[in-house]
Amino acid sequence: MRFLTMVLTTAVLGSSAHAACTAQAQDRQAAQTVAKSAAQQQLGSAATLYSFLYDKVSYNVSVGQTQISGDSAQVRGNVLLSGIERRTGKPAQGNYAGTVYLKKDAACAWRVTGYKRE
């Protein structure tokens, strides 16, 4: 399941959301939504690849602390991956923490610029 790091690092880049914000809370929510959506999208794609090694692959993305400074944001979160190893039949699980970095294109329109696994 270490492949997750490469998938998130390379494929999450470039995701964005477009909406209008009127309050700081909306801006924070928009950044969190973009970060979570990008991670879920790429994990969904990666689940197909994992299915060659694991049965019953599932994942859960949770978003945590969000820091916004001007037109930059950092969203911390966790990804819980689980599945059953095809070769051994044993359960496999991994919990990965990381930070998604975003830049603001316009009011509440964030795009992912990077990812760091912690």
Coordinates of all heavy atoms in Angstrom, one line a residue, residues 5-56:
T5 N 1.4 6.8 -1.7 CA 2.2 8.0 -1.6 C 2.5 8.5 -3.0 O 2.3 9.7 -3.3 CB 3.6 7.8 -0.9 OG1 3.3 7.3 0.4 CG2 4.4 9.0 -0.8
M6 N 2.9 7.6 -3.9 CA 3.2 8.1 -5.3 C 1.9 8.5 -6.0 O 2.0 9.5 -6.6 CB 3.8 6.9 -6.0 CG 4.2 7.3 -7.5 SD 5.1 6.0 -8.3 CE 3.8 4.8 -8.4
V7 N 0.8 7.9 -5.8 CA -0.4 8.2 -6.4 C -0.8 9.6 -6.0 O -1.2 10.5 -6.8 CB -1.5 7.2 -6.1 CG1 -2.9 7.7 -6.6 CG2 -1.2 5.9 -6.8
L8 N -0.9 9.8 -4.7 CA -1.3 11.1 -4.2 C -0.3 12.2 -4.5 O -0.7 13.3 -4.8 CB -1.5 11.1 -2.6 CG -2.7 10.3 -2.2 CD1 -2.8 10.3 -0.7 CD2 -4.0 10.9 -2.8
T9 N 0.9 11.9 -4.5 CA 1.9 13.0 -4.8 C 1.9 13.4 -6.3 O 1.9 14.6 -6.5 CB 3.4 12.4 -4.5 OG1 3.4 12.0 -3.2 CG2 4.4 13.5 -4.8
T10 N 1.6 12.5 -7.2 CA 1.7 12.9 -8.6 C 0.3 13.2 -9.1 O 0.2 14.1 -10.0 CB 2.3 11.7 -9.4 OG1 1.5 10.6 -9.3 CG2 3.7 11.5 -9.0
A11 N -0.7 12.5 -8.7 CA -2.0 12.6 -9.4 C -2.9 13.7 -8.8 O -3.8 14.1 -9.4 CB -2.7 11.3 -9.4
V12 N -2.7 14.0 -7.5 CA -3.6 15.0 -6.9 C -3.3 16.4 -7.5 O -4.2 17.3 -7.5 CB -3.4 15.0 -5.4 CG1 -4.0 16.2 -4.7 CG2 -4.0 13.7 -4.8
L13 N -2.1 16.6 -8.0 CA -1.8 18.0 -8.4 C -2.7 18.4 -9.6 O -3.0 17.6 -10.4 CB -0.3 18.0 -8.9 CG 0.7 17.6 -7.9 CD1 2.1 17.6 -8.5 CD2 0.7 18.4 -6.7
G14 N -3.1 19.7 -9.5 CA -3.9 20.2 -10.5 C -5.4 20.2 -10.3 O -6.2 20.8 -11.0
S15 N -5.9 19.6 -9.2 CA -7.3 19.6 -8.9 C -7.8 21.0 -8.5 O -7.0 21.7 -7.8 CB -7.7 18.6 -7.9 OG -7.4 17.3 -8.3
S16 N -9.0 21.4 -8.8 CA -9.4 22.7 -8.3 C -11.0 22.7 -8.2 O -11.6 21.8 -8.6 CB -9.0 23.8 -9.3 OG -9.7 23.6 -10.5
A17 N -11.5 23.7 -7.5 CA -12.9 23.9 -7.3 C -13.2 25.4 -7.6 O -12.4 26.2 -7.3 CB -13.3 23.5 -5.9
H18 N -14.4 25.6 -8.1 CA -14.7 27.0 -8.4 C -16.0 27.4 -7.7 O -17.1 26.7 -7.9 CB -14.9 27.2 -9.9 CG -13.6 26.9 -10.7 ND1 -12.5 27.7 -10.7 CD2 -13.3 25.8 -11.4 CE1 -11.6 27.1 -11.4 NE2 -12.0 25.9 -11.8
A19 N -16.0 28.4 -6.9 CA -17.2 28.9 -6.2 C -16.9 30.2 -5.7 O -15.7 30.7 -5.7 CB -17.5 27.9 -5.0
A20 N -17.9 30.9 -5.2 CA -17.7 32.3 -4.7 C -17.7 32.2 -3.2 O -18.6 31.6 -2.6 CB -18.7 33.2 -5.2
C21 N -16.8 32.9 -2.5 CA -16.8 32.9 -1.0 C -17.2 34.3 -0.5 O -16.8 35.3 -1.1 CB -15.4 32.5 -0.5 SG -15.0 30.8 -0.5
T22 N -17.9 34.3 0.6 CA -18.2 35.5 1.3 C -17.7 35.6 2.7 O -17.7 36.6 3.3 CB -19.7 35.8 1.3 OG1 -20.4 34.7 1.9 CG2 -20.2 35.9 -0.2
A23 N -17.2 34.5 3.2 CA -16.7 34.4 4.6 C -15.5 33.5 4.7 O -15.3 32.6 3.9 CB -17.8 33.9 5.5
Q24 N -14.7 33.7 5.7 CA -13.5 32.9 6.0 C -13.9 31.5 6.1 O -13.2 30.6 5.7 CB -12.8 33.5 7.2 CG -11.4 32.8 7.4 CD -10.7 33.4 8.6 OE1 -11.2 34.1 9.4 NE2 -9.4 33.0 8.7
A25 N -15.0 31.2 6.8 CA -15.4 29.8 7.0 C -15.7 29.1 5.7 O -15.4 27.9 5.5 CB -16.6 29.7 7.9
Q26 N -16.3 29.8 4.8 CA -16.6 29.3 3.4 C -15.2 29.0 2.7 O -15.1 28.0 2.0 CB -17.4 30.2 2.6 CG -18.9 30.3 3.1 CD -19.6 31.3 2.2 OE1 -19.2 32.4 2.1 NE2 -20.8 30.9 1.8
D27 N -14.3 29.9 2.8 CA -13.0 29.7 2.2 C -12.3 28.5 2.7 O -11.8 27.7 2.0 CB -12.2 31.0 2.4 CG -11.1 31.2 1.3 OD1 -11.3 30.7 0.2 OD2 -10.2 31.9 1.6
R28 N -12.3 28.3 4.0 CA -11.7 27.1 4.7 C -12.4 25.9 4.2 O -11.8 24.9 3.9 CB -11.8 27.3 6.2 CG -11.2 26.1 7.0 CD -11.3 26.4 8.5 NE -10.8 27.7 8.9 CZ -9.6 28.1 9.0 NH1 -8.6 27.3 8.8 NH2 -9.3 29.3 9.4
Q29 N -13.7 25.9 4.2 CA -14.5 24.7 3.7 C -14.2 24.4 2.3 O -14.0 23.2 1.9 CB -16.0 25.0 3.9 CG -16.9 23.8 3.5 CD -16.6 22.6 4.4 OE1 -16.4 22.7 5.6 NE2 -16.7 21.4 3.8
A30 N -14.0 25.4 1.4 CA -13.7 25.2 0.0 C -12.3 24.5 -0.1 O -12.2 23.6 -0.9 CB -13.8 26.5 -0.8
A31 N -11.4 25.0 0.7 CA -10.0 24.4 0.6 C -10.1 22.9 1.1 O -9.5 22.0 0.4 CB -9.1 25.2 1.5
Q32 N -10.8 22.6 2.1 CA -10.9 21.3 2.6 C -11.6 20.4 1.6 O -11.2 19.2 1.4 CB -11.7 21.2 3.9 CG -11.0 21.9 5.1 CD -11.8 22.0 6.4 OE1 -13.0 21.9 6.3 NE2 -11.1 22.1 7.5
T33 N -12.7 20.9 1.0 CA -13.4 20.1 0.0 C -12.5 19.7 -1.2 O -12.6 18.6 -1.7 CB -14.6 20.9 -0.5 OG1 -15.5 21.1 0.7 CG2 -15.4 20.1 -1.5
V34 N -11.7 20.7 -1.7 CA -10.8 20.4 -2.8 C -9.8 19.4 -2.4 O -9.6 18.4 -3.2 CB -10.2 21.7 -3.3 CG1 -9.0 21.4 -4.3 CG2 -11.2 22.6 -3.9
A35 N -9.2 19.5 -1.2 CA -8.2 18.5 -0.8 C -8.8 17.1 -0.7 O -8.2 16.2 -1.1 CB -7.6 19.0 0.5
K36 N -9.9 17.0 0.0 CA -10.6 15.7 0.2 C -11.0 15.1 -1.1 O -10.8 13.9 -1.4 CB -11.7 15.9 1.2 CG -12.3 14.5 1.5 CD -13.4 14.7 2.6 CE -13.9 13.3 3.1 NZ -14.9 13.5 4.2
S37 N -11.6 15.9 -2.0 CA -12.1 15.4 -3.2 C -11.0 14.9 -4.1 O -11.1 13.8 -4.7 CB -12.9 16.5 -4.0 OG -13.2 16.1 -5.2
A38 N -9.9 15.6 -4.1 CA -8.7 15.2 -4.9 C -8.2 13.9 -4.4 O -7.8 13.0 -5.2 CB -7.6 16.3 -4.9
A39 N -8.1 13.8 -3.1 CA -7.6 12.5 -2.5 C -8.5 11.4 -2.8 O -8.1 10.3 -3.2 CB -7.4 12.7 -1.0
Q40 N -9.8 11.6 -2.7 CA -10.8 10.5 -2.9 C -10.8 10.1 -4.4 O -10.8 8.9 -4.7 CB -12.2 10.9 -2.5 CG -12.4 11.0 -1.0 CD -13.7 11.6 -0.6 OE1 -14.2 12.5 -1.3 NE2 -14.3 11.1 0.4
Q41 N -10.6 11.0 -5.3 CA -10.6 10.7 -6.7 C -9.4 9.8 -7.0 O -9.6 8.8 -7.7 CB -10.6 12.0 -7.5 CG -10.5 11.8 -9.0 CD -10.5 13.1 -9.8 OE1 -10.1 14.1 -9.3 NE2 -10.8 13.0 -11.1
Q42 N -8.3 10.2 -6.5 CA -7.1 9.4 -6.8 C -7.1 8.1 -6.1 O -6.5 7.1 -6.7 CB -5.8 10.2 -6.5 CG -5.7 11.5 -7.4 CD -5.9 11.2 -8.8 OE1 -5.4 10.3 -9.4 NE2 -6.8 12.0 -9.5
L43 N -7.6 8.0 -4.9 CA -7.7 6.7 -4.2 C -8.6 5.8 -4.9 O -8.4 4.6 -5.0 CB -8.1 6.9 -2.8 CG -7.1 7.5 -1.9 CD1 -7.7 8.0 -0.6 CD2 -6.0 6.5 -1.6
G44 N -9.7 6.3 -5.5 CA -10.6 5.5 -6.3 C -9.9 4.9 -7.5 O -10.1 3.7 -7.8
S45 N -9.1 5.7 -8.1 CA -8.3 5.2 -9.3 C -7.3 4.1 -8.8 O -7.0 3.1 -9.5 CB -7.6 6.3 -10.0 OG -8.5 7.2 -10.5
A46 N -6.6 4.4 -7.7 CA -5.6 3.5 -7.2 C -6.2 2.2 -6.7 O -5.6 1.2 -6.7 CB -4.8 4.2 -6.0
A47 N -7.5 2.2 -6.2 CA -8.1 1.0 -5.8 C -8.1 -0.1 -6.8 O -8.0 -1.3 -6.6 CB -9.5 1.3 -5.3
T48 N -8.3 0.3 -8.1 CA -8.3 -0.6 -9.2 C -6.9 -1.3 -9.3 O -6.8 -2.5 -9.5 CB -8.6 0.1 -10.5 OG1 -9.8 0.8 -10.4 CG2 -8.6 -0.8 -11.7
L49 N -5.8 -0.5 -9.1 CA -4.5 -1.1 -9.2 C -4.3 -2.0 -7.9 O -3.7 -3.1 -8.1 CB -3.4 0.0 -9.2 CG -3.5 0.9 -10.4 CD1 -2.5 2.1 -10.3 CD2 -3.2 0.1 -11.7
Y50 N -4.7 -1.6 -6.8 CA -4.6 -2.4 -5.6 C -5.3 -3.7 -5.7 O -4.9 -4.7 -5.1 CB -5.1 -1.6 -4.3 CG -4.1 -0.6 -3.8 CD1 -4.5 0.7 -3.6 CD2 -2.8 -1.0 -3.5 CE1 -3.7 1.6 -3.1 CE2 -2.0 0.0 -2.9 CZ -2.4 1.3 -2.8 OH -1.5 2.2 -2.3
S51 N -6.4 -3.8 -6.5 CA -7.2 -5.0 -6.6 C -6.4 -6.2 -7.1 O -6.8 -7.3 -7.0 CB -8.4 -4.7 -7.4 OG -8.1 -4.5 -8.7
F52 N -5.3 -5.9 -7.8 CA -4.4 -7.0 -8.2 C -3.7 -7.7 -7.1 O -3.4 -8.9 -7.1 CB -3.4 -6.5 -9.2 CG -4.0 -6.1 -10.5 CD1 -4.0 -4.7 -10.9 CD2 -4.5 -7.0 -11.4 CE1 -4.6 -4.3 -12.0 CE2 -5.1 -6.6 -12.6 CZ -5.1 -5.3 -12.9
L53 N -3.5 -7.0 -6.0 CA -2.8 -7.5 -4.8 C -3.7 -7.8 -3.6 O -3.4 -8.6 -2.7 CB -1.7 -6.6 -4.4 CG -0.6 -6.4 -5.4 CD1 0.4 -5.3 -4.9 CD2 0.2 -7.7 -5.7
Y54 N -4.8 -7.0 -3.6 CA -5.7 -7.0 -2.4 C -7.2 -7.2 -2.8 O -7.6 -6.7 -3.8 CB -5.6 -5.7 -1.6 CG -4.2 -5.4 -1.1 CD1 -3.3 -4.7 -1.8 CD2 -3.8 -5.9 0.1 CE1 -2.1 -4.4 -1.4 CE2 -2.5 -5.7 0.6 CZ -1.7 -4.9 -0.2 OH -0.4 -4.7 0.3
D55 N -7.9 -7.9 -2.0 CA -9.4 -8.0 -2.2 C -10.0 -7.0 -1.2 O -9.4 -6.6 -0.2 CB -9.9 -9.4 -1.8 CG -9.6 -10.5 -2.9 OD1 -9.8 -10.1 -4.1 OD2 -9.3 -11.6 -2.5
K56 N -11.2 -6.7 -1.5 CA -12.0 -5.8 -0.6 C -11.3 -4.5 -0.2 O -11.2 -4.2 0.9 CB -12.5 -6.6 0.6 CG -13.4 -7.8 0.3 CD -13.8 -8.5 1.5 CE -14.7 -9.7 1.0 NZ -15.1 -10.5 2.2

